[in-house]
């Protein structure tokens, strides 16, 4: 079975800070309780973006076999005390899927591509990805050849782990690409090196790019003045 | 006769939650009464998008022979108690029309293309669609050949039902494409497979893409804290 | 002499509905008085868009020989009671002009192209229009040949009346195209058929497209809860 | 020496109208005092846009040898009573510069290109301008030849005065083009005629286009309900 | 080691001015204290943009070896009194990196490219930069040849100092380019001259462009009515 994956980027209305201390404390408690409850049902991780991007404060990375989990989380958050002040600045929905470029048994019977299992590295780099239509006109062999070059370069950075998920027909991008790494400059160098691959010529869009920092929801909420 | 079809995506102002409980209860009652009244005049279905997209909360799919029905619905909603807090985040207007690519009697005397009749599948996938101008320069024969390839692939997914409606001159897109299915991964696979068709090279725009979940208006309003 | 033409699309702040009944009644009276006064000076028509487009509520179509009329109307509206709640969501400014593609005496001494005279059909279809720069590189003869094909198709729909006005240098589009018709499907079919003309290959932008419904200002204001 | 030129487009928050009469009167007095003070230091003209464009109310055209004047004006306005309600909807910064296409002594020792001196015509037409990169690949001779055609057409409209200023590296456009004229249809005809020049094929962007009407700040403020 | 560099553009909500004088005074004191504290940990400079751009008021240029510094600064500012009124209108994140176009020991053992050290010139010109994908298809030799032409032109303006930083994979642009200069017209002329280089043909995006004026945070806050 394949998983649904959602990267939800939240922005807290700065006016929340003007509310009484006890309302805010209770709002934070509720949000953390929802987070904890979700983590008992399915996968969830929190990442901060304050000090990095100006358009969002934090991100929740969720994965599940049941779309009801995603709907439950959204419903719970918006009905909580903080709900009227917390908006989804952006969200990317995707699914896991076996790659056509990698042999079926490449990594054994249990295909890691179908299950999201974070390494919990310090950083997560996320972006939506759309290829040009001429890419899809190429033969599968040509595309495989180009992807192999792409993969070869990736192998030079073994400490960077790639999660590619698929969004065809369910969101505005074709893929959501998420890389885990403990080093920012390593990832920057990898992406710059990948610009020179042949496959890179077929990129239509790969922005916005989010550098996310693994951090507990507790710490994030304190840092953004919630 | 041909039908007018409208997909209206609503966003509830989160500040609605801060109003007194009895005002909100009466607001919900009014909205449901309007929905029920409309359903006696013409076709209407409600779909939720919370937990899926960040830019809207739910969608109403309406079809009618009379534009007055659409205008009545809009007027009733905005004059209701919830009106000042409920905005149309996006809307796509279209009409049914017989396809030039399908023989007139393809499915018998009653052309299903002219009447919207939902299967009430669990999911509805909706997106506006614009072809490149070079597409319209091709001969009808060439376009038919390409559409046949397109249709052949669709037939591999018989459980997915397609509704194509036309927006030339009446809205910003050329078509609104709506697929009904009970499976998200099946639809994702279909769309990815269609990327490799020749016709796909002539796509100018096919976003935003909305994954809508069939749900009663009652349940939606509860879930989004209305 | 040539006329200035303005299509102004208004959006009423939904919070207007929360004001006391008597303030709103007086606000409506003022707006109607301004409309009536303008109609004594120059041409004005009101069209509704609620239930059709999500980004505006109604449109005022004005034509005049004197820009002061347009400025007077705008000043009067924003200084009225409803002014702080009524915003111009979009506006297109244009002028009448004799076409280079139609013989000078095509329709007799009085060139209908220079004077806006609405048929008061049930629907008005409006969109801004920009041609690609390569269009202007073609010889006038080539462009005339293409426009003739365009006109021939238009003649198949004699019940649809076209008003083309010019915006070079005075607004963001090159033309504003306005069609009057009593039938929505006829217009849709015309626009779809025009996609296959050679001239259509030189279209850079023809959106947003507005389907406007002729309606008295009185009825519009009631319908949108003003 | 070269001048800094700024075209600042203002939008007055419609909620300003809801403030007490005496606060608004004092706000207007302050704004006019600032305008008058600036006019003693450097060049300033006011133009209205209400009734013309929907995204702004008026424009201040300023020119100076000292960037401190522009900063002083902005600081004074935002610190005045009306400041919290008056926003800069858009602004274009540019500098005067001798054209490479016109001989150094074309108009004598005092190069009018380096000093902004308005004719105070009734209308000012302003737009930001960006050329395609292939334009810069052409030899200077080729570009001169094309600009000569451009200039020849301009000479057919001697009553229209052109001010071209340069924004490379200091704002998002490459040029800001400002035409003064007492006739709207003349300018429209000129711009349409220029579309057919060879140079026009190298235009990347020439919008938004602003038709500004010369009017005293006093009259503008009254007209927009300040 | 390489530095993280962030250019953060702030916009102060004009409604801040409506708060009581003592609240505003304390808010300013807090902001300046945060600025001073940061300057003890890492590099920070303040630049004003009022009177120049309409979309932001001032910019903080920060550089550090530790991403925690950037996060600390953002957290401190938004939790301060002014926090709810101060938003990040835009931000660009980048890192220092040795250029592939310049020999390793070009400027001796201590590579100035890896450490941000402002000249504290009067002006800073900043823009995000993205090259077209065909650029990356060129051989390194070809690119070096083109960059040499680019560098040669830069050498004609020795008083202008360039800081190029890299954003691959960590923000939406590929580079952030920052030039320091005491002269606006010199920089304008340089940028215009660079348009004619061969490398310029491979520019996909180099906007928005920010002309920033070095100014103490104290003076900025006073000038914008904080």
């Amino acid at each position: 079975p394949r998983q649904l994956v959602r990267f939800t980027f939240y922005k807290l209305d700065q006016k929340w800070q003007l509310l009484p201390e006890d309302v805010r404390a209770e709002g934070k408690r509720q949000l953390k309780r929802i987070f904890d409850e979700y983590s008992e049902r399915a996968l969830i991780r929190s990442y901060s973006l304050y000090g990095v991007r100006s358009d969002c404060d934090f991100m929740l990375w969720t994965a599940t076999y049941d779309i009801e989990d995603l709907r439950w989380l959204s419903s719970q958050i918006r009905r909580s005390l903080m709900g009227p002040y917390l908006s989804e600045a952006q969200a990317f929905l995707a699914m896991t899927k076996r790659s056509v470029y990698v042999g079926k048994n490449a990594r054994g019977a249990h295909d890691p591509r179908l299950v999201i299992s974070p390494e919990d590295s310090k950083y997560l780099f996320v972006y939506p990805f759309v290829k040009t239509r001429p890419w899809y006109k190429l033969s599968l062999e040509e595309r495989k050849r180009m992807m192999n070059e792409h993969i070869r370069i990736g192998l030079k950075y073994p400490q960077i782990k790639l999660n590619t998920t698929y969004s065809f027909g369910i969101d505005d991008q074709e893929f959501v690409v998420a890389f885990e790494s403990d080093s920012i400059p390593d990832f920057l160098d990898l992406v710059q090196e990948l610009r020179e691959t042949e496959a890179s010529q077929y990129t239509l869009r790969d922005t916005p790019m989010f550098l996310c920092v693994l951090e507990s929801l507790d710490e994030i909420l304190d840092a953004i003045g919630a």
Side-chain angles (χ1 to χ4, degrees), chain A:
Chain A
R2 290 151 64 180
Q3 290 187 311
L4 276 159
V5 184
R6 195 176 193 231
F7 301 86
T8 311
F9 297 84
Y10 294 92
K11 182 91 185 158
L12 179 65
D13 184 342
Q14 293 162 307
K15 298 294 183 280
W16 169 260
Q17 279 172 257
L18 306 177
L19 297 189
E21 178 54 35
D22 59 324
V23 174
R24 292 161 56 206
E26 174 59 18
K28 280 193 277 190
R29 259 194 302 275
Q30 287 183 7
L31 197 63
K32 288 183 269 185
R33 201 156 47 217
I34 295 167
F35 183 92
D36 289 342
E37 267 193 63
Y38 186 94
S39 69
E40 286 166 22
R41 307 163 64 142
L43 181 89
I44 187 165
R45 289 290 183 281
S46 60
Y47 291 86
S48 69
L49 285 118
Y50 62 87
V52 174
R53 280 192 75 95
S54 57
D55 50 7
C56 56
D57 295 330
F58 63 94
M59 188 268 278
L60 297 182
W61 182 16
T62 47
T64 174
Y65 292 101
D66 187 355
I67 194 174
E68 289 309 314
D69 287 336
L70 301 181
R71 288 154 46 78
W72 177 90
L73 180 64
S74 172
S75 170
Q76 289 292 312
I77 290 179
R78 69 182 296 163
R79 289 161 70 187
S80 75
L81 264 178
M82 210 184 280
Y85 296 85
L86 200 56
S87 58
E88 299 186 357
Q90 196 136 13
F92 305 120
L93 186 70
M95 288 198 90
T96 56
K97 183 171 180 174
R98 194 164 283 135
S99 169
V100 297
Y101 304 117
V102 179
K104 254 190 187 171
N105 302 307
R107 301 203 197 187
H110 174 73
D111 188 337
R113 296 252 173 183
L114 295 190
V115 185
I116 298 294
S117 52
E119 308 262 294
D120 290 336
S121 305
K122 187 159 181 203
Y123 305 110
L124 182 75
F125 302 89
V126 182
Y127 54 87
F129 191 59
V130 184
K131 292 196 147 295
T132 63
R133 292 295 160 108
W135 169 261
Y136 295 101
K137 215 176 163 176
L138 300 173
S139 70
L140 187 58
E141 286 67 38
E142 281 208 86
R143 282 183 271 161
K144 267 188 184 164
R145 182 180 54 74
M146 291 188 202
M147 287 311 290
N148 282 340
E149 181 197 7
H150 198 271
I151 291 164
R152 258 200 316 276
I153 292 175
L155 290 176
K156 293 166 57 178
Y157 298 81
Q159 70 287 17
I160 299 176
K161 189 197 166 195
L162 169 60
N163 291 281
T164 300
T165 47
Y166 297 68
S167 299
F168 293 91
I170 65 173
D171 207 340
D172 300 352
Q173 65 283 342
E174 293 179 342
F175 305 92
V176 181
V177 189
F179 294 85
E180 283 188 279
S181 169
D182 287 321
S183 161
I184 299 174
D186 281 0
F187 183 66
L188 190 156
D189 292 348
L190 167 59
V191 173
Q192 187 174 7
E193 202 171 335
L194 288 173
R195 277 293 190 285
E196 306 195 8
T197 61
E198 210 176 336
S200 170
Q201 300 291 322
Y202 294 90
T203 298
L204 181 65
R205 184 167 69 86
D206 57 4
T207 54
M209 286 192 169
F210 298 88
L211 188 177
C212 313
V213 182
L214 187 64
E215 193 172 24
S216 77
L217 187 55
D218 246 333
E219 291 170 302
I220 292 171
L221 292 176
D222 284 350
I224 63 175

